[in-house]
């Protein structure tokens, strides 16, 4: 009698565990890379997204996600899709939406670049912001960058960012 009750309780616990696991997996698989970023709890403002800007799939199951962060700057995250969920491989710093004066030339920056190294993939990520409309292309290490317009920030001010250049890794 005790064995039967023990087996029934074990089966019930296993059944409940399977149900919750299926519900969790179903919820996480339906999200996209940006939603995954939103759901991550972080104490670092640069990692906390407040607005989606752009996403590019650079390989199967590998995404570059650009977003406005809690510091009101632009950030890039490299995210890999695994079987049941996404995983952030790298956060690549932040770039201001505004051009700054160069301390040596005392002129406004035309382009701001950022880069980081993803050790898991053994690759560099280069990306940046183009502040000057006269810049038609950005070339880093002999490769031309993709220039994507984000016109919704043109009305923020005269020297706001109007393009940015993610470079597929």
């Amino acid at each position: 009698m005790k064995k039967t009750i023990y087996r029934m309780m074990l089966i019930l616990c296993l059944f409940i565990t399977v149900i919750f696991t299926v519900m969790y997996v179903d919820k996480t698989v339906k999200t996209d890379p940006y939603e995954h970023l939103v759901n991550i709890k972080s104490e670092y403002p640069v990692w906390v997204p407040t607005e989606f800007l752009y996403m590019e799939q650079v390989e199967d199951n590998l995404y570059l996600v650009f977003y406005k962060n809690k510091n009101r700057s632009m950030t890039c995250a490299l995210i890999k899709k695994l079987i049941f969920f996404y995983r952030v491989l790298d956060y690549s710093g932040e770039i201001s939406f505004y051009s700054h004066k160069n301390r040596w030339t005392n002129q406004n920056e035309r382009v701001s670049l950022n880069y980081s190294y993803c050790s898991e993939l053994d690759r560099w990520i280069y990306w940046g912001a183009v502040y000057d409309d006269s810049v038609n292309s950005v070339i880093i290490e002999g490769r031309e960058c993709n220039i994507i317009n984000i016109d919704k920030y043109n009305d923020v001010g005269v020297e706001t960012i109007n393009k940015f250049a993610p470079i597929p890794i």
Side-chain angles (χ1 to χ4, degrees):
M1 180 76 175
K2 279 188 174 183
K3 279 188 171 181
T4 307
I5 291 174
Y6 177 74
R7 284 185 182 159
M8 292 297 282
M9 291 299 289
L10 183 64
I11 290 172
L12 180 65
C13 287
L14 286 172
F15 180 74
I16 290 172
T17 303
V18 166
I19 294 280
F20 280 112
T21 303
V22 167
M23 289 171 44
Y24 174 76
V25 167
D26 184 54
K27 180 184 175 214
T28 57
V29 169
K30 288 182 180 178
T31 63
D32 67 16
Y34 178 74
E35 287 178 28
H36 174 74
L37 280 174
V38 170
N39 293 327
I40 294 174
K41 304 298 181 218
S42 175
E43 61 188 60
Y44 302 108
V46 70
W47 292 354
V48 179
T50 59
E51 184 179 343
F52 174 80
L53 296 175
Y54 178 77
M55 181 169 56
E56 185 170 312
Q57 184 173 356
V58 292
E59 289 180 6
D60 286 344
N61 302 324
L62 195 61
Y63 301 87
L64 284 174
V65 178
F66 297 87
Y67 60 92
K68 186 176 178 182
N69 65 29
K70 217 172 184 178
N71 290 342
R72 295 181 288 180
S73 299
M74 181 170 47
T75 300
C76 173
L78 179 63
I79 301 175
K80 183 174 188 172
K81 182 177 182 181
L82 302 174
I83 295 172
F84 296 116
F85 56 92
Y86 292 94
R87 193 169 127 238
V88 177
L89 299 180
D90 189 42
Y91 290 95
S92 182
E94 63 184 330
I95 291 179
S96 173
F97 285 102
Y98 301 94
S99 173
H100 299 285
K101 293 226 184 250
N102 183 307
R103 65 180 171 184
W104 292 288
T105 64
N106 203 28
Q107 294 180 352
N108 286 338
E109 293 177 327
R110 297 176 67 205
V111 175
S112 181
L113 297 174
N114 200 333
Y115 59 91
S116 67
Y117 178 73
C118 179
S119 58
E120 186 171 323
L121 298 175
D122 191 28
R123 295 186 186 172
W124 287 90
I125 302 166
Y126 298 93
W127 65 283
V130 179
Y131 302 107
D132 188 340
D133 282 333
S134 67
V135 175
N136 295 320
S137 67
V138 176
I139 298 174
I140 298 176
E141 293 188 5
R143 292 178 61 186
E144 187 168 350
C145 305
N146 298 332
I147 305 285
I148 295 98
N149 287 322
I150 50 172
D151 292 330
K152 60 184 169 181
Y153 288 99
N154 283 344
D155 58 352
V156 179
V158 176
E159 294 180 333
T160 60
I161 179 173
N162 56 27
K163 301 176 187 176
F164 67 98
I167 295 117
I169 56 174

